[in-house]
């Protein structure tokens, strides 16, 4: 049978694994199969979890440190729908939605996305309709005005932010501002005038507030338009609770974003330093530390590699949560040289995690867990704890 287009992208990873399960669930979204957002809506959720475990087993086959941990592992599930904190809707070719699966040049018009909660969907419907009066942006020939409408939510507080990404300044965005600003906690205009297809950029104006707040176990985070925050709040909070159980002493948090892990674990450790590239995220981490009355956390704006090169400090625990591309191999080498007692590695990409940990020397794995941060998609989050063995 010919593979539907939406599966081809994951050919080497999930194709064989998914075959027995396809058709075990009825997709909830009419765009399933065309839209690039979901891959597994036609697979029952418990079977998606089983498939993710099998994927991990195949990825780590032969790795004696990890396989025994995976065999006894249950990939922890989360809410299969309505979990996503962020959607980047592209505005192009008279459409407002997401890219077609495997087709960068095509956009699927999306009126409602089952991965977002009801409030975000209500706001999207209004924004989408108001934006029809606004010229969109052709990202193939680089002409036009409105590039993206980004909707971000805080899964626990329910606060919602909308960011309009424009190719230049201009009043034409007024219909969207008039219709949406009263409905949201935060609204910002962002300029991105480059050729790269980005949904972030220079903040032109915070039309309303310029941040939303999320709360995990009494810690309140400030999320600004360009800063990263985990896509699934309930799942992220579960992982942070586990990290807090494992972290101790003098702690370094590499790739710290808006400080979400650092601030969460601060009361469990002696001191914590967060290192993050994006200054806007570091500023909001410092701000959140002050507002939460946390005085043992320090945030530094730096490249992780440059920081490790210059600061071979002594740490009891090193936490790292790099982007999907993983940590630079030299960062892994320096972590081994720096020799913290414990390394806690949170990863959203098992494949780069595997490459990274092959570079760690002098450590043994003491626990490995997997969390389904991204139901209906091939992605997941893993958490590994290593202890120094030599
Ligand atoms: C997966 S996010 C983790 C953020 C944070 N730990 C959290 O849980 O919200 C990865 C972060 O690494 C940052 N980053 C990417 N490359 C970096 C680098 N070379 N040095 C430092 N930070 C970097 C990104 O800006 C992003 O905030």
């Amino acid at each position: 049978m010919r593979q539907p287009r939406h599966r081809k992208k994951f050919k080497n990873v999930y194709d064989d694994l998914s075959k027995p399960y396809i058709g075990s669930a009825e997709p909830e979204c009419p765009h399933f199969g065309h839209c690039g957002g979901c891959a597994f809506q036609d697979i029952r959720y418990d079977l998606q979890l089983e498939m993710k475990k099998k994927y991990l087993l195949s990825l780590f086959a032969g790795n004696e440190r990890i396989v025994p941990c995976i065999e006894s592992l249950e990939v922890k599930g989360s809410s299969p729908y309505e979990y996503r904190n962020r959607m980047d809707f592209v505005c192009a070719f008279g459409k407002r939605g997401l890219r077609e699966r495997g087709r960068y040049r095509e956009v699927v018009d999306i009126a409602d996305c089952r991965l977002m909660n009801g409030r975000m969907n209500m706001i999207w419907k209004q924004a989408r309709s108001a934006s029809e009066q606004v010229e969109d942006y052709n990202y193939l020939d680089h002409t036009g005005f409105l590039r993206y409408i980004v909707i971000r939510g805080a899964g626990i507080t329910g606060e919602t932010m909308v960011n309009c990404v424009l190719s230049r300044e201009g009043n034409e965005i007024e219909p969207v501002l008039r219709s949406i600003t009263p409905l949201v906690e935060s609204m910002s205009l962002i300029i991105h005038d480059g050729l790269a297809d980005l949904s972030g950029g220079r903040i032109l104006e915070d039309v309303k507030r310029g941040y939303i707040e999320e709360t995990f176990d009494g810690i309140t985070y400030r999320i600004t338009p360009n800063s990263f925050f985990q896509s699934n709040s309930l799942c992220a909070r579960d992982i942070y609770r586990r990290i807090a159980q494992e972290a101790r002493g003098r702690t370094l948090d590499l790739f710290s974003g808006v400080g979400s892990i650092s601030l969460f674990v601060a009361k469990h450790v002696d001191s914590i330093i967060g290192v993050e590239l994006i200054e806007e995220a570091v500023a909001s981490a410092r701000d959140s530390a002050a507002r939460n009355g946390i005085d043992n956390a320090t945030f530094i704006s730096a490249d992780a590699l440059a920081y490790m090169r210059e600061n071979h400090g002594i740490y009891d625990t090193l936490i790292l949560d790099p982007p999907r591309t993983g940590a630079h191999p030299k960062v892994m080498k320096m972590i081994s040289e720096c020799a913290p007692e414990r390394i806690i590695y949170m990863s959203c990409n098992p494949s780069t995690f595997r490459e990274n940990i092959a570079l760690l020397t002098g450590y043994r794995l003491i626990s490995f867990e997997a969390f389904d941060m991204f139901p209906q998609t091939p992605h997941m989050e893993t958490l590994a704890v290593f202890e120094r063995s030599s």
Side-chain angles (χ1 to χ4, degrees):
M1 197 179 84
R2 208 168 146 251
Q3 279 287 327
R5 192 183 310 128
H6 70 277
R7 294 206 189 280
K8 282 192 175 162
K9 190 170 173 209
F10 310 112
K11 190 161 181 20
N12 298 326
V13 178
Y14 281 102
D15 257 15
D16 289 338
L17 293 175
S18 64
K19 258 181 211 152
Y21 304 138
I22 294 170
S24 54
E26 194 57 41
E28 294 205 5
C29 173
H31 306 297
F32 178 70
H34 300 292
C35 171
C38 292
F40 297 147
Q41 283 195 24
D42 57 353
I43 294 176
R44 235 175 48 211
Y45 188 53
D46 59 322
L47 299 176
Q48 290 182 32
L49 298 176
E50 197 174 304
M51 218 165 72
K52 288 183 179 184
K53 173 173 172 169
K54 286 185 177 165
Y55 165 57
L56 287 174
L57 276 169
S58 69
L59 186 71
F60 289 100
N63 186 326
E64 285 164 20
R65 283 197 297 179
I66 305 238
V67 167
C69 299
I70 300 176
E71 276 166 350
S72 57
L73 165 121
E74 190 185 308
V75 179
K76 292 190 187 69
S78 58
S79 165
Y81 288 104
E82 299 195 18
Y83 65 84
R84 242 194 108 84
N85 284 339
R86 174 175 182 144
M87 294 298 292
D88 297 14
F89 292 110
V90 61
C91 304
F93 319 128
K95 295 179 181 166
R96 310 284 183 260
L98 298 174
R99 294 246 163 48
E100 262 193 35
R101 172 66 66 196
R103 288 192 168 186
Y104 173 74
R105 296 171 153 260
E106 307 289 337
V107 175
V108 184
D109 235 329
I110 304 277
D112 179 273
C113 173
R114 291 284 294 114
L115 298 192
M116 292 195 298
N117 65 34
R119 180 166 187 228
M120 289 169 79
N121 265 309
M122 180 275 287
I123 290 164
W124 168 236
K125 276 194 189 106
Q126 291 262 102
R128 180 173 175 267
S129 146
S131 75
E132 280 165 10
Q133 302 168 52
V134 181
E135 182 197 15
D136 58 26
Y137 181 83
N138 182 325
Y139 56 85
L140 300 177
D141 64 16
H142 299 287
T143 54
F145 178 60
L146 174 61
R147 300 176 80 135
Y148 277 94
I149 297 177
V150 180
I151 307 212
R152 300 186 69 174
I156 293 170
T157 63
E159 291 198 350
T160 307
M161 158 192 281
V162 170
N163 304 316
C164 296
V165 184
L166 313 175
S167 64
R168 56 172 168 76
E169 295 186 27
N171 293 333
E172 301 96 302
I173 196 65
E174 273 301 320
V176 179
L177 298 187
R178 260 198 316 275
S179 148
I180 300 307
T181 310
L183 303 179
V184 294
E185 281 73 25
S186 173
M187 159 68 86
S188 297
L189 297 179
I190 291 176
I191 300 286
H192 169 47
D193 54 12
L195 298 183
D197 180 34
L198 300 176
S199 54
R202 172 173 65 84
I203 295 175
L204 173 67
E205 186 187 347
D206 289 326
V207 178
K208 188 171 182 181
R209 211 161 85 170
Y211 64 85
I212 51 173
E213 289 189 333
E214 178 63 304
T215 302
F216 287 3
D217 293 354
I219 304 290
T220 300
Y221 303 110
R222 208 159 254 206
I223 304 165
T224 51
N226 283 312
S227 57
F228 172 89
F229 198 78
Q230 301 288 351
S231 332
N232 180 335
S233 288
L234 293 176
C235 185
R237 190 181 60 183
D238 282 350
I239 300 174
Y240 292 0
R241 285 175 178 165
R242 280 289 300 123
I243 295 175
Q245 286 168 354
E246 299 290 347
R248 60 194 65 154
R250 294 154 297 183
T251 303
L252 178 66
D253 176 17
L254 285 180
F255 309 96
S256 53
V258 292
S260 33
I261 297 176
S262 299
L263 298 172
F264 194 91
V265 304
K267 66 171 177 281
H268 302 270
V269 300
D270 296 341
S271 61
I272 187 153
I273 297 174
V275 176
E276 160 66 40
L277 197 58
I278 296 184
E279 282 186 23
E280 184 186 316
V282 172
S284 69
R286 289 181 183 142
D287 195 48
S288 298
R291 277 178 302 97
N292 285 286
I294 293 171
D295 57 11
N296 63 342
T298 310
F299 294 97
I300 294 170
S301 172
D303 168 66
L305 179 57
Y307 182 84
M308 290 302 285
R309 267 198 183 121
E310 282 162 28
N311 298 278
H312 259 221
I314 300 168
Y315 302 103
D316 301 299
T317 305
L318 188 146
I319 300 167
L320 74 159
D321 177 19
R324 287 191 60 71
T325 45
H328 192 291
K330 287 185 184 158
V331 170
M332 298 312 294
K333 189 172 160 266
M334 283 176 194
I335 290 175
S336 301
E337 282 169 11
C338 166
E341 268 172 34
R342 270 185 173 209
I343 297 169
I344 304 176
Y345 191 143
M346 176 172 173
S347 165
C348 58
N349 186 343
S351 164
T352 52
F353 165 76
R354 185 184 61 164
E355 287 163 18
N356 273 176
I357 61 164
L359 303 170
L360 268 186
T361 49
Y363 284 86
R364 68 185 175 89
L365 182 74
I366 58 167
S367 85
F368 181 80
E369 291 162 84
F371 299 80
D372 193 18
M373 176 89 93
F374 314 95
Q376 317 303 340
T377 82
H379 306 295
M380 73 184 109
E381 202 78 24
T382 58
L383 185 72
V385 183
F386 297 88
E387 230 169 41
R388 201 170 62 208
S389 57
S390 54

